[in-house]
């Protein structure tokens, strides 16, 4: 089925937040500019990335079928079960008993799960046993070499 996922766990809505310093300056992706010497405040990444903790869980991506959307092997996916999928949503679904990550799309007026890598064929949903697990809201992947996954 191409990009598989590994279930890592659910978000604990009762866990205390971990706020980290948030710099007030913006960072440019072009030429460097002098940094401001003050902080805007604190940022709790879970509070920022997980609006529905009781409906959210984490998965680890496995495979190459979604690399065109920036989802690579080993990436951490944040999945929200409370969201309604729309055309273009990246989904976690069980198709014929196999868990996969794909983008919801339509060919004609029939629903398909679409890979973001042309080496993988669209998966028609008509006539298949398909259960939606949730909508992928964020993708986290390490850029620095040697960063633990």
């Amino acid at each position: 089925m191409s990009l598989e996922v590994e279930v890592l766990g659910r978000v604990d809505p009762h866990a205390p937040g971990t706020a980290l310093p948030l710099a007030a300056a913006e960072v440019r992706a072009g030429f460097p500019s002098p940094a401001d010497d003050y902080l805007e405040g604190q940022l709790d990444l879970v509070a920022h990335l997980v609006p529905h903790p009781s409906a959210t869980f984490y998965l680890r991506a496995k495979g190459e079928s979604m690399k065109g959307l920036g989802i690579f092997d080993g990436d951490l996916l944040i999945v929200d079960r409370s969201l309604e999928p729309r055309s273009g949503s990246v989904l976690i679904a069980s198709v014929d008993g196999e868990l996969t990550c794909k983008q919801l799309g339509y060919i004609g007026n029939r629903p398909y799960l679409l890979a973001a890598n042309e080496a993988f064929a669209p998966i028609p949903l008509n006539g298949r046993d398909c259960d939606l697990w949730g909508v992928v809201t964020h993708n986290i992947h390490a850029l620095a070499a040697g960063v633990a996954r």
Side-chain angles (χ1 to χ4, degrees), residues 30-137:
F31 293 104
S33 65
D36 292 339
D37 290 332
Y38 66 94
L39 297 177
E40 179 178 320
Q42 300 287 311
L43 174 65
D44 180 341
L45 283 177
V46 172
H48 182 73
L49 298 175
V50 182
H52 309 113
S54 63
T56 302
F57 60 97
Y58 303 113
L59 292 171
R60 180 92 47 208
K62 301 282 184 197
E64 302 290 325
S65 73
M66 296 301 286
K67 69 181 185 178
L69 287 177
I71 300 174
F72 301 101
D73 186 63
D75 284 356
L76 179 66
L77 306 177
I78 301 175
V79 183
D80 190 331
R81 294 182 63 94
S82 71
L83 300 178
E84 285 293 321
R86 296 185 263 192
S87 184
S89 294
V90 176
L91 309 177
I92 302 299
S94 173
V95 180
D96 296 332
E98 189 174 338
L99 209 53
T100 190
C101 176
K102 295 288 181 284
Q103 189 172 31
L104 178 62
Y106 292 84
I107 299 175
N109 56 357
R110 294 185 179 190
Y112 281 78
L113 293 180
L114 306 172
N117 179 340
E118 56 190 46
F120 297 88
I123 302 167
L125 294 180
N126 287 348
R128 297 198 109 138
D129 180 25
C130 182
D131 293 311
L132 174 66
W133 277 42
V135 175
V136 177
T137 58

